[in-house]
């Protein structure tokens, strides 16, 4: 029998507390973001009823579909955590408060153009491909600092930190290396003292590896299947480089 969303949330919260205790961190310093890709509205509503307020979506069309739920639960905060095509920028900035996946200058330019038209600003994270997998989006660690410098020139973009996806189907130590590299990149960028750039946020860790991510310094973990159950599509549906499309 499938466990209730509420029970799964309690389990994830306990695991977060243990990981924080083991790494001598405060639980208040790690946010749980519920990844909502393909999740039915009824399950999302139950999570909200259980007190969860932070949600992340991968696709612009799903944000549009879930907008009535957003209006119903106005205390909920929505982030965009998937690959963002430039032709979807106009839709996404309507709904979210933070974009985790800014990985190239062209996307920064598109966001700046749209936000300028709307007289808005947007908090963003710069996505880094710390596993060097060709199937992943993200700037390489070698080019990440330069990308941050380029993006910092846009006054509509508030750079808050970095995001990565751990190596898929990997051992804990392989995944730990990805997260440790993101932490190192955070320190390197802080040392650059780039104007208008903050590096307080590290978004890393999903259902399979969030405990390791917490141990390595994550401030936001993105958890979906551990709370909502298995999805209909594999990870490649959300992260595959070959799905770049209109960009």
């Amino acid at each position: 029998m499938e466990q209730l969303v509420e029970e799964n949330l309690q389990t994830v919260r306990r695991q977060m507390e243990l990981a924080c205790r083991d790494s001598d961190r405060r639980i208040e310093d790690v946010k749980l973001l519920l990844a909502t890709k393909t999740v039915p509205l009824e399950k999302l509503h139950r999570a909200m009823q259980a007190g969860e307020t932070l949600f992340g979506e991968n696709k612009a069309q799903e944000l549009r579909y879930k907008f009535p739920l957003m209006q119903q639960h106005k205390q909920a905060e929505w982030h965009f955590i998937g690959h963002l095509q430039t032709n979807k920028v106009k839709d996404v900035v309507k709904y979210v408060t933070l974009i985790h996946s800014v990985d190239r200058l062209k996307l920064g330019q598109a966001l700046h153009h749209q936000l300028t038209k709307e007289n808005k600003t947007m908090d963003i994270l710069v996505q880094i491909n710390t596993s060097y997998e060709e199937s992943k989006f993200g700037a390489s660690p070698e080019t990440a600092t330069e990308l941050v410098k380029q993006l910092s020139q846009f006054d509509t973009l508030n750079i808050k930190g970095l995001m990565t996806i751990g190596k898929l189907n990997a051992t804990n130590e392989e995944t730990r290396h990805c997260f440790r590299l993101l932490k190192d990149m955070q320190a390197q960028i802080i040392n650059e003292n780039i104007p208008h750039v903050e590096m307080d946020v590290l978004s890393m860790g999903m259902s399979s590896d969030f405990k390791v991510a917490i141990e390595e310094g994550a401030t936001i973990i993105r958890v979906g299947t551990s709370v909502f159950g298995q999805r209909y599509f594999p990870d490649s549906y959300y992260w595959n480089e070959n799905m770049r499309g209109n960009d």
Side-chain angles (χ1 to χ4, degrees):
M1 183 177 177
E2 184 180 357
Q3 284 184 305
L4 295 176
V5 168
E6 295 83 355
E7 293 174 359
N8 293 340
L9 278 168
Q10 290 176 3
T11 298
V12 168
R13 287 288 185 185
R14 282 196 300 269
Q15 291 172 333
M16 290 176 64
E17 290 171 3
L18 288 172
C20 285
R21 186 193 67 186
D22 292 345
S23 52
D24 197 26
R25 298 188 62 196
R26 300 189 313 158
I27 186 64
E28 295 85 2
D29 294 335
V30 184
K31 294 181 178 180
L32 172 62
L33 177 148
L34 296 183
T36 65
K37 49 197 174 192
T38 74
V39 176
L41 294 182
E42 187 268 335
K43 285 189 175 183
L44 296 183
H45 179 73
R46 282 162 59 182
M48 292 172 177
Q49 291 295 102
E52 298 300 322
T53 59
L54 185 57
F55 300 87
E57 188 48 68
N58 282 66
K59 292 184 176 293
Q61 58 266 39
E62 287 207 48
L63 280 171
R64 290 194 296 269
Y65 168 66
K66 289 160 183 169
F67 183 62
L69 191 68
M70 297 180 197
Q71 291 182 305
Q72 184 180 350
H73 295 270
K74 293 187 181 298
Q75 77 279 15
E77 180 180 354
W78 288 79
H79 293 182
F80 191 81
I81 60 175
H83 178 66
L84 180 54
Q85 298 173 347
T86 54
N87 64 345
K88 296 295 195 300
V89 160
K90 184 177 180 180
D91 292 330
V92 167
V93 298
K94 292 178 184 177
Y95 304 116
V96 303
T97 60
L98 177 65
I99 298 172
H100 290 227
S101 50
V102 179
D103 60 354
R104 59 205 186 281
L105 179 59
K106 184 176 180 181
L107 176 58
Q109 292 169 330
L111 283 165
H112 176 66
H113 177 72
Q114 184 62 36
L115 292 164
T116 299
K117 288 204 302 186
E118 299 185 23
N119 195 28
K120 293 171 61 175
T121 62
M122 177 64 65
D123 292 348
I124 66 167
L125 306 179
V126 176
Q127 181 176 355
I128 301 178
N129 183 359
T130 55
S131 66
Y132 291 92
E133 292 173 280
E134 292 184 3
S135 60
K136 296 261 190 66
F137 294 103
S140 70
E142 291 77 14
T143 62
T145 300
E146 182 59 29
L147 177 60
V148 170
K149 290 179 180 178
Q150 292 172 331
L151 294 171
S152 72
Q153 303 304 308
F154 300 126
D155 58 7
T156 58
L157 302 181
N158 306 316
I159 302 174
K160 298 295 185 180
L162 306 173
M163 183 271 256
T164 198
I165 302 166
K167 190 172 183 180
L168 301 175
N169 303 313
T171 66
N172 275 355
E173 289 312 306
E174 288 175 314
T175 303
R176 188 181 301 278
H177 176 75
C178 296
F179 297 152
R180 196 163 286 173
L181 179 54
L182 195 72
K183 184 72 173 176
D184 290 344
M185 292 301 306
Q186 178 192 42
Q188 290 177 32
I189 294 169
I190 289 172
N191 287 338
E192 291 284 332
N193 200 24
I194 305 168
H196 315 300
V197 171
E198 299 175 20
M199 278 288 128
D200 297 329
V201 178
L202 289 182
S203 171
M204 58 189 191
M206 300 190 292
S207 288
S208 62
D209 54 24
F210 70 82
K211 288 175 281 187
V212 175
I214 290 173
E215 292 169 3
E216 296 302 327
T219 64
I220 298 177
I221 59 171
R222 310 179 303 272
V223 176
T225 56
S226 289
V227 172
F228 299 118
Q230 291 298 318
R231 302 187 305 270
Y232 294 109
F233 300 105
D235 283 321
S236 59
Y237 175 75
Y238 304 98
W239 306 117
N240 196 321
E241 188 82 18
N242 295 326
M243 293 186 62
R244 195 175 293 273
N246 294 323
D247 207 23

